[in-house]
Amino acid sequence: MEISKRKLINFLFVLSFPFYGIGMYMGYKTSISQGSVIAVIPFLGIIFLHVYDLIRGRKVRVMVGRLYWIALLFLLSLVAAMWKALSEHFPGASVANTVAYSILFLAPFHGSIIVHIRNRDAEDFDFAKLVLKGMATLILLNVLGVAAGISNVLHNIEGRINLPFMLGIYSSAHLLAMTNLILMFYMKDFAKKPRAFMVLFAFYMLNMALMLSVNSRLSFMTFLILSGLFFFRMIGRARIAFPLSLFTMPLLTNFALLVYWVLTLPFMVAIVSRVNKADVTTFNNRTTVWDVGWNWLEHDRSDILFGKGYQGQIYLKGWDHIAEVFNVRYSYLVHTHSTFMQTLVTQGIVGYGLFLFVMWHLFKFYRDRFMKGTQEAPLFAAIIYMLFILQIDIICYGNDFGNGFIFCLMAMVVMDPKYITRPTRSFNGDVMDVPELTAPRSDDAAPDQPAEAE
């Protein structure tokens, strides 16, 4: 039986998650350029299949809306920052890895858009479950890697688990936290589906064990708070969640002693180690890095409009001292430990403004799906988590997992609704009568390719 291209494309999308992990491992083990290309092989496969069909059908139709062009501008700003770093002879930069990074930044967004194009009239399409399958596959790949004795190339911290197929130890914690927040939506109906519930619960507990072994205090605290808010269904009503998330960094730094007090509570001490006052109140020396960035914003502001290029923080006054603080040989090996600050420094106000635009529309779109109770509701949990954590970690920048993940989710946001002819379904799978989310089928919205064998 021939497999339809649609199902093959969906399979490649799921496969893109573990391939990202393999690519990051290979990139820092052997070659950055080769690893970056390996990381997006499934997305390149999706793009190739779709372009081949377009050439064969000799018919091209634009199925994205205006938001696509704004999101693309942000990615092009990120690509431009890479080429600026190359032109200024950033240590280790080469034409090969700059081209590879450019592909890594652009491929996930466009590959994911094609997933939605090919599933626009597929009644069995569930994007949230597809994403969850990809995340679960990446986690299981990492578990197998640990069992095989493979270590993370960048982070190998004694006493903590170091998942090998992630960019770093903190990226692992964020992946586990987001996966468990999504899983919370699916762990229900124990009486009707006890076997499915037990499988999901076992996976949830495995992720919890891994999260505690990674021992990232900030990610675990964020996870616990958001778990409570989602469990009691309080987060969807909180319209201030987006603007509040923009002040995560100053709020944390001003309430550092409160964070330390929380971490020293008996419950937290029992599950979180490394509760050292100096370490906690400086957020593992993050405040030292952030101070350099804030000084640039307050007193210097050179290149503030378009940024200093990829890893441009090395040109900030006082950055040489950072190498001593983090006990590394070269200061260019240290990033700002903040997606917000890294984007502002490297891509300027223009790049950061575009990034905020993307995050706002992600928040708005998936919050609407969450409030309406559609199949995509679980993805809102991942969006909220990233909104708060990106202020205090690098997870959503550049080649880290969060950047590609954001644009996988953004792909659904930028689609032109008039082409989505499949029915909108509730989280329970029932067809919903929500006209603004589903367009009626018309000749203009009909599939532009011949019927494919199932």
Side-chain angles (χ1 to χ4, degrees), residues 15-53:
L15 209 59
S16 68
F17 287 77
F19 259 79
Y20 165 84
I22 295 169
M24 290 301 103
Y25 179 83
M26 295 301 297
Y28 288 91
K29 189 77 171 179
T30 56
S31 163
I32 290 292
S33 56
Q34 292 178 12
S36 298
V37 173
I38 290 172
V40 290
I41 282 177
F43 285 120
L44 295 178
I46 291 171
I47 293 169
F48 172 81
L49 286 171
H50 190 64
V51 170
Y52 173 77
D53 275 354

Side-chain angles (χ1 to χ4, degrees), residues 150-170:
I150 304 173
S151 296
N152 190 286
V153 179
L154 289 180
H155 286 164
N156 191 5
I157 303 174
E158 188 176 352
R160 291 198 262 173
I161 194 167
N162 302 277
L163 301 185
F165 300 110
M166 290 296 290
L167 193 59
I169 192 167
Y170 299 112

Side-chain angles (χ1 to χ4, degrees), residues 144-449:
L144 291 174
V146 171
I150 304 173
S151 296
N152 190 286
V153 179
L154 289 180
H155 286 164
N156 191 5
I157 303 174
E158 188 176 352
R160 291 198 262 173
I161 194 167
N162 302 277
L163 301 185
F165 300 110
M166 290 296 290
L167 193 59
I169 192 167
Y170 299 112
S171 298
S172 304
H174 302 321
L175 169 67
L176 295 164
M178 287 190 290
T179 303
N180 268 11
L181 285 170
I182 293 173
L183 277 173
M184 287 176 61
F185 287 78
Y186 294 99
M187 289 192 300
K188 60 177 186 175
D189 296 333
F190 174 74
K192 294 180 180 179
K193 300 177 181 179
R195 184 177 300 177
F197 178 90
M198 292 306 297
V199 170
L200 292 176
F201 182 72
F203 187 46
Y204 180 92
M205 294 307 296
L206 170 66
N207 292 340
M208 283 292 290
L210 292 173
M211 205 185 311
L212 292 173
S213 297
V214 170
N215 197 16
S216 171
R217 296 160 299 190
L218 287 177
S219 64
F220 189 70
M221 282 184 61
T222 305
F223 166 74
L224 286 181
I225 293 169
L226 293 181
S227 292
L229 292 175
F230 274 103
F231 183 80
F232 293 106
R233 292 188 64 84
M234 296 169 62
I235 194 70
R237 298 182 181 90
R239 294 181 179 273
I240 65 168
F242 182 83
L244 183 64
S245 71
L246 303 181
F247 297 95
T248 305
M249 182 190 292
L251 285 172
L252 272 179
T253 53
N254 281 284
F255 290 95
L257 289 175
L258 177 61
V259 174
Y260 174 70
W261 176 77
V262 171
L263 288 172
T264 55
L265 292 173
F267 166 70
M268 295 299 291
V269 170
I271 57 178
V272 179
S273 60
R274 303 184 300 123
V275 185
N276 174 277
K277 187 174 183 179
D279 192 21
V280 171
T281 54
T282 63
F283 302 100
N284 200 21
N285 290 321
R286 282 177 170 86
T287 54
T288 307
V289 173
W290 298 340
D291 284 344
V292 174
W294 284 117
N295 286 335
W296 168 70
L297 278 174
E298 185 178 357
H299 303 294
D300 186 352
R301 294 187 290 276
S302 58
D303 301 308
I304 188 67
L305 190 59
F306 295 106
K308 293 181 174 293
Y310 196 74
Q311 297 287 47
Q313 70 276 3
I314 67 170
Y315 304 115
L316 301 182
K317 185 178 179 181
W319 194 261
D320 289 341
H321 172 62
I322 297 300
E324 300 174 15
V325 173
F326 285 88
N327 194 29
V328 297
R329 187 173 181 180
Y330 302 109
S331 61
Y332 65 79
L333 296 175
V334 184
H335 51 70
T336 63
H337 290 82
S338 165
T339 301
F340 142 70
M341 190 161 285
Q342 193 77 23
T343 304
L344 191 59
V345 170
T346 61
Q347 295 167 252
I349 291 176
V350 172
Y352 184 60
L354 291 168
F355 181 69
L356 285 182
F357 183 91
V358 169
M359 294 307 299
W360 163 248
H361 281 281
L362 272 175
F363 172 80
K364 181 182 176 183
F365 179 89
Y366 286 102
R367 180 184 178 276
D368 183 53
R369 298 289 170 134
F370 172 77
M371 296 302 289
K372 286 183 170 68
T374 71
Q375 285 180 323
E376 298 80 29
L379 298 178
F380 182 59
I383 298 295
I384 287 290
Y385 181 88
M386 285 191 292
L387 270 177
F388 283 94
I389 211 70
L390 67 84
Q391 287 277 321
I392 52 177
D393 202 86
I394 200 71
I395 176 68
C396 298
Y397 184 79
N399 65 334
D400 217 322
F401 173 79
N403 184 61
F405 187 63
I406 282 173
F407 282 92
C408 284
L409 302 187
M410 189 65 182
M412 188 172 190
V413 181
V414 304
M415 289 296 297
D416 188 335
K418 75 179 181 181
Y419 292 107
I420 307 301
T421 58
R422 64 176 182 270
T424 300
R425 294 187 180 274
S426 70
F427 185 70
N428 294 322
D430 301 323
V431 174
M432 300 175 67
D433 183 18
V434 190
E436 66 270 25
L437 298 184
T438 308
R441 183 180 292 278
S442 66
D443 293 338
D444 188 44
D448 53 16
Q449 300 299 336

